[in-house]
Amino acid sequence: MSATAPTAPASGVRPPVAGIPRLISAFSGTTGYVVKIMLLSASNALSIWALYVLITRHHWVAVAVLALVTGLIDFVFMTPQRWSLPAKFLVPGIFLLCCFQVIPIIYTIDVAFTNYSTGHILTKAQAIKQIEITSLEAPANGRTYTMAIARDSSHHLVLILRDDVSHKLYVGTQKALTPLGPGIVTVSGGAITAAKGYTLLSGIALFNVDKQLQTFIVPLGAAGVRPQSTTTAVELQPTLRYEAKRDVFVRIADGAVYRDNKKGEFVHGSDVLLPGWKTGVGTANFSAIIHSQTVRSPFIRVFIWTFVFAAGTVFFSFAIGLFLAIALDKRGMRLQKLYRSILIIPWAVPGFLSLLVWGGLLNDQFGVVNRVFHLSVPWLFDANWARVSCILVSTWLTVPYFFVVSMGALQAIPEELVEAARVDGGGPLQIFRRVTLPLLLVAVGPLLIASFAFNFNNFNNIYLLTNGGPTFTNGGGIAGATDILISYTYKLAIGSGLGNNYGLASAITIIIFLVTAALSTAGFAKTRVLEEVL
């Protein structure tokens, strides 16, 4: 009997890979059900932990949302109904979309209408408590104490105190200062070394109670005893008194009243009590961008430079990339593949690494650029040259992208149209302007808009190359010469070292979004019109 040759699959369709059905079948039935139960159990355990954390912090809205989503995921993945199959993919995706996109956007919008910033982070109740603590001052003849931190038999935190003048011994709690009898406390070398009935804390145990000690005050008449270090305490008395019914602070010395100014602060004239608290301020952050000179001037300068930077980078990158694509789009050119490969190298190197390298190359003292060309240009240390450097380096990084895009778009243009234009007597420049470029823009136009939006928010190029500098010395605030809106926003919120203004930063973030969305919408509309014309 002769062997029968295997027949080729009909219509040229490849048979399925043998391993895939086996892999699918391995995770079906009981095995798949067990894996599903394990994953859902892990998800529920994580949710229970998150619910506990949220409940302890009294975030009730988040608790309700998390409980609802967890129940929905369990229901969708456990139900055998056929309609649940697409939901198994949609529900986790929508949940992650809300977590990483929708919620941050909503939170940013919420913060933009508050005074959330350095000195206005706490709640009002926390701010009142903090003001009461910071208003404590030592009286003229205030007593000082040698102190040991301990826990009593009920494991409550207490202070074992020895008056530095009278040498009397006390135990202090947050309720009272109580004298101790003789023989209870052992003092050696001026330090408290033991106390009967109490466990003295040392080493890592002291670090664990650091936060408690910050607010630990032993009442002593109108004053109180507060720890100053791990071994000393001092008698303090309040300089301010909070009256809850009137919601005011009263200065004890002269009766001056500090009132809530509805902006998250207690004020008396120009005197402000710190810290303040986070509260809604309406459109004050947006108004500051328009009316506050200290905010408006740097914002306008940064806003204009952001447009120049984004437009300049896109224009030069596209122009050079298109020129190189046309130059290398010649049939039969020798070493054509080598030239194309070389031009793509800047795109292959990680951007952050290229920016750091360029930062060294453009250094005005030991940079290779100045040394090779015998120049003394302050590329990164002069405001104007730093702006030029940002555009040049960004162009260098973006040219390979537009080179590849333009090369592909050029090859998609029908050769018949170009030949017809030549027959009609069109020269190379006319053919490019009336045939090649319009057809090219139909394909490349959306990419130009996307590139502009990207460079409008190109934080890495600015921050890694110049850190937004050089800084101005004539009252320019925290905005440097090369800061764009996104790096300026970062400095307002985090990176300036002069305080964090999250509310103003969030307001500018919303403006960035609106400007980018408007430009993108207008650009896409223009591209659509161009398609209809062609």
Side-chain angles (χ1 to χ4, degrees):
M1 181 181 293
S2 60
T4 303
T7 58
S11 304
V13 179
R14 288 186 177 184
V17 180
I20 295 178
R22 293 178 183 176
L23 184 64
I24 295 175
S25 62
F27 284 94
S28 60
T30 304
T31 303
Y33 185 79
V34 171
V35 171
K36 180 170 66 175
I37 293 298
M38 292 174 61
L39 292 175
L40 287 176
S41 299
S43 173
N44 288 343
L46 182 62
S47 297
I48 291 171
W49 170 80
L51 285 170
Y52 170 76
V53 173
L54 293 172
I55 289 173
T56 57
R57 299 183 180 182
H58 307 290
H59 296 319
W60 303 115
V61 175
V63 168
V65 172
L66 181 58
L68 179 63
V69 171
T70 302
L72 179 62
I73 290 176
D74 289 344
F75 173 74
V76 167
F77 279 90
M78 292 302 296
T79 183
Q81 299 298 326
R82 181 173 296 179
W83 62 263
S84 67
L85 182 60
K88 288 179 171 66
F89 297 91
L90 290 175
V91 170
I94 294 173
F95 173 68
L96 294 175
L97 174 67
C98 292
C99 288
F100 296 106
Q101 292 290 335
V102 177
I103 293 177
I105 290 173
I106 294 174
Y107 181 72
T108 300
I109 295 173
D110 174 68
V111 170
F113 293 92
T114 69
N115 64 341
Y116 193 24
S117 59
T118 299
H120 298 86
I121 296 177
L122 306 175
T123 63
K124 186 174 182 179
Q126 292 171 331
I128 292 172
K129 182 67 175 178
Q130 193 65 31
I131 292 171
E132 289 178 332
I133 293 174
T134 56
S135 70
L136 296 173
E137 293 182 358
N141 298 315
R143 288 178 287 182
T144 59
Y145 299 86
T146 299
M147 179 188 72
I149 303 168
R151 290 192 183 276
D152 61 14
S153 57
S154 301
H155 205 65
H156 294 143
L157 190 67
V158 298
L159 305 180
I160 306 299
L161 301 169
R162 179 175 180 263
D163 192 309
D164 290 339
V165 177
S166 65
H167 302 300
K168 292 182 179 180
L169 296 166
Y170 304 89
V171 59
T173 67
Q174 290 185 299
K175 294 182 179 180
L177 182 68
T178 306
L180 290 175
I184 296 179
V185 177
T186 302
V187 179
S188 176
I192 299 172
T193 58
K196 294 180 181 179
Y198 300 94
T199 304
L200 271 59
L201 303 183
S202 62
I204 192 65
L206 288 176
F207 290 98
N208 293 334
V209 297
D210 180 65
K211 288 187 177 180
Q212 289 178 266
L213 290 175
Q214 291 178 9
T215 58
F216 197 103
I217 298 175
V218 181
L220 185 61
V225 178
R226 185 181 179 189
Q228 292 295 293
S229 68
T230 57
T231 58
T232 60
V234 64
E235 179 185 350
L236 301 173
Q237 65 182 17
T239 58
L240 296 170
R241 179 180 69 254
Y242 179 67
E243 298 182 1
K245 291 183 178 180
R246 298 168 59 194
D247 191 24
V248 297
F249 270 99
V250 179
R251 191 159 57 198
I252 296 173
D254 57 5
V257 178
Y258 292 81
R259 304 182 186 278
D260 183 354
N261 65 353
K262 306 304 179 183
K263 296 180 181 179
E265 298 165 334
F266 286 104
V267 298
H268 172 69
S270 59
D271 191 12
V272 180
L273 297 181
L274 293 178
W277 60 92
K278 179 183 175 183
T279 188
V281 293
T283 59
N285 291 315
F286 297 92
S287 178
I289 297 173
I290 300 173
H291 298 103
S292 175
Q293 180 67 22
T294 57
V295 177
R296 183 177 67 247
S297 295
F299 176 81
I300 293 174
R301 185 177 65 247
V302 169
F303 190 82
I304 294 172
W305 161 240
T306 303
F307 268 95
V308 173
F309 169 74
T313 299
V314 173
F315 175 78
F316 289 115
S317 300
F318 176 63
I320 297 173
L322 178 58
F323 172 78
L324 294 173
I326 293 174
L328 295 179
D329 191 31
K330 304 294 183 183
R331 293 181 181 178
M333 176 182 287
R334 296 179 60 184
L335 303 177
Q336 186 182 56
K337 293 183 179 179
L338 177 62
Y339 296 146
R340 291 176 175 176
S341 300
I342 292 174
L343 289 173
I344 296 176
I345 287 177
W347 201 15
V349 178
F352 74 93
L353 182 61
S354 296
L355 290 163
L356 295 176
V357 170
W358 271 108
L361 294 175
L362 294 175
N363 187 279
D364 62 340
Q365 295 182 354
F366 53 81
V368 173
V369 174
N370 277 355
R371 291 201 172 194
V372 169
F373 295 100
H374 304 287
L375 301 173
S376 59
V377 177
W379 295 101
L380 303 177
F381 303 101
D382 175 78
N384 294 324
W385 280 112
R387 293 187 181 112
V388 171
S389 299
C390 289
I391 294 178
L392 289 178
V393 174
S394 297
T395 298
W396 187 83
L397 290 170
T398 314
V399 161
Y401 170 74
F402 280 114
F403 167 70
V404 173
V405 168
S406 299
M407 191 166 54
L410 286 172
Q411 293 174 357
I413 295 176
E415 188 67 27
E416 295 82 3
L417 294 177
V418 178
E419 290 296 332
R422 288 199 186 100
V423 171
D424 289 341
L429 186 59
Q430 289 179 314
I431 293 174
F432 173 78
R433 186 166 60 88
R434 296 183 179 274
V435 178
T436 306
L437 186 60
L439 292 173
L440 191 72
L441 289 177
V442 172
V444 181
L447 301 178
L448 290 171
I449 298 168
S451 181
F452 180 87
F454 173 79
N455 283 287
F456 199 85
N457 295 294
N458 198 339
F459 177 83
N460 287 347
N461 285 19
I462 298 297
Y463 197 77
L464 293 178
L465 186 63
T466 65
N467 196 21
T471 57
F472 290 100
T473 59
N474 55 350
I478 64 174
T482 57
D483 269 319
I484 58 176
L485 285 173
I486 190 66
S487 64
Y488 178 52
T489 302
Y490 170 78
K491 288 183 177 181
L492 284 172
I494 300 172
S496 68
L498 301 175
N500 307 324
N501 195 334
Y502 304 109
L504 182 60
S506 298
I508 295 177
T509 300
I510 294 174
I511 293 175
I512 294 173
F513 169 76
L514 294 176
V515 171
T516 306
L519 291 173
S520 300
T521 302
F524 282 120
K526 183 69 175 178
T527 303
R528 192 176 300 112
V529 170
L530 186 61
E531 290 177 358
E532 294 174 357
V533 171
L534 294 174

